[in-house]
Amino acid sequence: MIVVSAQLTDWHDTSAQQAIELTEYFLANFSVDVSRVYAAGYSAGGETMSQAVSMRPDLYAAYLHGASQWDGDYAPIAENGTAVYIFMAEHDEYYGSQRAWSAYNSLHDAYEEAG
């Protein structure tokens, strides 16, 4: 098992692109089962990884989204069939739970639309 933990440059496209490039680097340079690449993001990392996974859902078998708001697109994830698990405290003092419910409902709708 290889665990990679990237540091954020920003909370937007730059860090999402860097996360994708880091994933691609490990896939190209290490013996990695491409069907077992998982992503996780917590807080600001969740915002970044929701973008990265939606930009390149083909790179990730599943994504764990924690204590964060969703900044990525939903349709590419559903179209690729990437599994997503969202966790959030009901009374999270920063994001609140409504953002997690909104992301869940939007992902659910995207999966239904994708069939």
Side-chain angles (χ1 to χ4, degrees):
M1 177 171 59
I2 300 171
V3 176
V4 178
S5 179
Q7 299 302 308
L8 296 174
T9 302
D10 65 7
W11 290 9
H12 306 290
D13 287 345
T14 301
S15 286
Q17 286 292 345
Q18 289 171 338
I20 290 167
E21 290 170 10
L22 185 60
T23 303
E24 291 173 331
Y25 174 84
F26 273 84
L27 291 173
N29 293 285
F30 293 88
S31 179
V32 175
D33 180 349
V34 296
S35 69
R36 297 175 68 187
V37 176
Y38 307 101
Y42 186 86
S43 193
E47 293 179 37
T48 296
M49 286 311 297
S50 70
Q51 291 177 340
V53 173
S54 72
M55 294 164 101
R56 287 294 308 278
D58 59 300
L59 290 178
Y60 307 98
Y63 169 54
L64 176 62
H65 183 77
S68 186
Q69 71 180 17
W70 190 278
D71 284 350
D73 294 326
Y74 303 105
I77 291 171
E79 291 165 5
N80 192 70
T82 305
V84 176
Y85 182 83
I86 300 172
F87 70 93
M88 174 71 81
E90 185 174 352
H91 300 291
D92 182 85
E93 70 275 0
Y94 189 78
Y95 291 104
S97 62
Q98 185 53 44
R99 292 183 188 183
W101 279 113
S102 177
Y104 171 84
N105 290 326
S106 295
L107 279 167
H108 183 272
D109 292 347
Y111 269 94
E112 280 195 350
E113 190 171 313

